[in-house]
Amino acid sequence: MKFITNISLVCLCLMLGLFLLPSCKKNTDQVPQNTCDTNNMTFSKDMTPIFKNNCLGCHSKAQYDASGIMNLESYAMVKLYLDNDYHADGIYGSKLMHIIEQNGSVPNMPPSYKLSTCEISKIQAWINQKAKEN
Ligand code: HEC
């Protein structure tokens, strides 16, 4: 009798586990998208961390001084790039967006992988909100 109870307990746990595991996975997959806050984006608060983690290895001020590559630490330089950026479609900031969305018409940035959906949404939101510094 005791043996049977133990077996049932083990089965119950296994079933619970099977039931809970996939739902846990689903939740963590959904959380980043649902919680991607794109309100009131600013260069200092929101763009700097994304650029720092993904771009400044190549696009720092030091690299700019050495080689003239675009300096993504500088708000003034990013803003100037945006102000001249209407790409082929006439939409403000669309060249930068094509570059990070990696859709083939311009260089892919970062060159070896793609930013997350949330990071890309934040950059697009920042541009739509007039690319403010603070
Ligand atoms: C591994 C080095 C490297 C990383 C990381 C990198 N870039 Fe670049 N980027 C380059 C190089 C080299 C160029 C210039 C040559 C070219 O256009 O391909 C460039 C050019 C650019 C340009 C100018 C394209 C033009 O001519 O209009 C933009 C905008 C840009 N990168 C944005 C970014 C952003 C945003 C990130 C991070 C999300 C990033 N890059 C990450 C190396 C890098």
Side-chain angles (χ1 to χ4, degrees):
M1 190 60 195
K2 203 174 172 205
F3 178 67
I4 293 192
T5 318
N6 280 344
I7 293 277
S8 326
L9 261 180
V10 169
C11 285
L12 191 69
C13 288
L14 274 178
M15 274 165 60
L16 264 180
L18 283 179
F19 179 74
L20 288 175
L21 267 181
S23 54
C24 284
K25 190 166 179 286
K26 216 183 209 165
N27 282 342
T28 50
D29 279 346
Q30 283 172 352
V31 162
Q33 290 206 336
N34 292 344
T35 61
C36 185
D37 182 2
T38 55
N39 289 318
N40 302 320
M41 294 285 106
T42 70
F43 183 81
S44 331
K45 174 170 64 72
D46 308 288
M47 298 304 108
T48 299
I50 298 176
F51 291 162
K52 199 171 175 187
N53 290 336
N54 301 283
C55 318
L56 297 193
C58 303
H59 289 282
S60 65
K61 183 184 181 301
Q63 298 277 4
Y64 168 73
D65 290 342
S67 71
I69 195 170
M70 190 179 171
N71 173 8
L72 292 180
E73 277 183 84
S74 156
Y75 172 75
M77 192 165 289
V78 177
K79 188 67 169 55
L80 184 67
Y81 185 82
L82 285 176
D83 289 346
N84 289 305
D85 174 6
Y86 291 88
H87 200 40
D89 50 20
I91 299 171
Y92 181 63
S94 67
K95 185 176 187 188
L96 180 63
M97 290 315 297
H98 285 300
I99 286 174
I100 61 171
E101 281 165 349
Q102 311 199 343
N103 61 13
S105 60
V106 278
N108 289 347
M109 293 290 148
S112 53
Y113 63 95
K114 197 170 167 178
L115 294 178
S116 72
T117 310
C118 182
E119 287 166 328
I120 293 175
S121 306
K122 281 175 185 254
I123 295 172
Q124 179 70 77
W126 175 66
I127 291 172
N128 293 347
Q129 294 158 13
K130 304 208 166 69
K132 282 176 285 185
E133 182 168 19
N134 293 301

